Amino acid sequence: MSVNLKPLASIALSDDWKTLLVEEFAFDYMLNLKQKLIEERKNYQIFPPDHQIFNALSHTSVSQIKIVILGQDPYHGIGQANGLSFSVNKGNNIPPSLKNIFKELNRDVGCSIPNHGDLTSWAKQGVLLLNTSLTVRQAEPASHAKIGWEIFTNRLIEIINLQKENLVFLLWGNHAQSKDQLIDGTKHLVLKAAHPSPFSAHQGFFGCKHFSLANQYLIQKGLGPIEWQITD
């Protein structure tokens, strides 16, 4: 199976992303990344499927972005990953980290706990759900962390940092917080907390109130808040 990283025109991205990334997709590191993924697929099951690799950029155009939530890499179980950080396809069990996100939402803004973990409705409202690696091998977390994706996703963060103002960056855990250096805190709101994983959620994620704080900031800047409630 081929991996569709080029030509850019064949990927379902918004026009503004295509304009900003047209040169990026022609760089050697992206061509090398494409070849690595082709080779990987010969020997491993890779998630998400090709047509969902760039879902974060398909569902949320640059002009729409209000909030950025950074994850590390896609879920590595069969049928889970859908190209959005922390999100899983409907029909899957809700992963532990996402369960904790829903618990904090309930405590913070009163959202009821949904029966699925598909966060597409957030993405369509302007929440960029970006993993720093966009693919992963089955049952091998972080297996694609060093094949070139972070060069690309760092560039995405740099682009929106420059192109936009008054964004809210939600950085949960050490990995996401390492991207703080790419963000201008004088023009954006950067909120940090522990990762929602069961191993760390009680160390500062629960009670962080990031969802209400993000909406308060957006309203103060004259922007519409996010409807965080996931409908069943």
Side-chain angles (χ1 to χ4, degrees):
M1 182 181 293
S2 64
V3 178
N4 207 359
L5 297 185
K6 189 184 179 185
L8 181 58
S10 64
I11 302 173
L13 305 184
S14 64
D15 289 341
D16 52 8
W17 274 122
K18 285 185 178 181
T19 299
L20 290 168
L21 295 176
V22 63
E23 293 183 359
E24 201 72 23
F25 273 75
F27 287 155
D28 285 346
Y29 85 87
M30 285 300 284
L31 301 179
N32 291 337
L33 174 56
K34 175 183 178 180
Q35 190 58 43
K36 288 176 183 176
L37 287 172
I38 290 171
E39 294 302 316
E40 283 278 294
R41 285 203 186 276
K42 293 178 180 178
N43 300 300
Y44 303 97
Q45 181 73 29
I46 305 301
F47 302 127
D50 285 354
H51 70 281
Q52 292 184 321
I53 289 175
F54 295 97
N55 255 4
L57 310 185
S58 300
H59 288 310
T60 311
S61 66
V62 180
S63 61
Q64 285 180 303
I65 301 172
K66 297 179 179 180
I67 295 176
V68 181
I69 298 179
L70 290 179
Q72 189 159 355
D73 58 356
Y75 294 114
H76 50 82
I78 295 173
Q80 287 184 299
N82 61 12
L84 305 176
S85 62
F86 293 101
S87 177
V88 290
N89 288 311
K90 291 179 180 179
N92 286 274
N93 292 330
I94 299 174
S97 292
L98 186 53
K99 283 184 179 179
N100 286 337
I101 290 171
F102 288 157
K103 288 178 182 178
E104 175 62 19
L105 273 166
N106 176 257
R107 297 174 183 181
D108 184 16
V109 295
C111 290
S112 60
I113 306 296
N115 63 11
H116 68 87
D118 185 353
L119 305 182
T120 301
S121 67
W122 291 1
K124 290 183 176 179
Q125 293 180 75
V127 182
L128 182 64
L129 296 164
L130 181 66
N131 282 315
T132 56
S133 296
L134 300 190
T135 57
V136 69
R137 290 178 186 172
Q138 181 182 350
E140 294 187 45
S143 49
H144 285 177
K146 296 182 179 180
I147 68 170
W149 278 127
E150 286 213 32
I151 302 173
F152 177 69
T153 53
N154 282 354
R155 280 290 299 134
L156 298 184
I157 296 169
E158 291 171 347
I159 287 168
I160 59 178
N161 174 64
L162 291 171
Q163 293 282 328
K164 303 283 289 185
E165 60 182 16
N166 301 329
L167 297 181
V168 182
F169 288 84
L170 304 186
L171 307 182
W172 300 331
N174 292 334
H175 180 76
Q177 289 168 23
S178 71
K179 306 302 178 180
D180 182 38
Q181 61 186 328
L182 304 174
I183 304 164
D184 183 351
T186 67
K187 60 186 289 195
H188 305 294
L189 176 64
V190 180
L191 299 176
K192 299 178 183 179
H195 194 277
S197 161
F199 300 107
S200 56
H202 289 281
Q203 300 171 18
F205 179 76
F206 289 137
C208 69
K209 298 185 181 297
H210 279 186
F211 304 101
S212 60
L213 290 171
N215 273 351
Q216 289 170 18
Y217 179 83
L218 293 175
I219 292 169
Q220 289 170 2
K221 297 300 181 181
L223 304 169
I226 300 300
E227 173 52 71
W228 293 112
Q229 180 66 62
I230 301 292
T231 59
D232 294 336

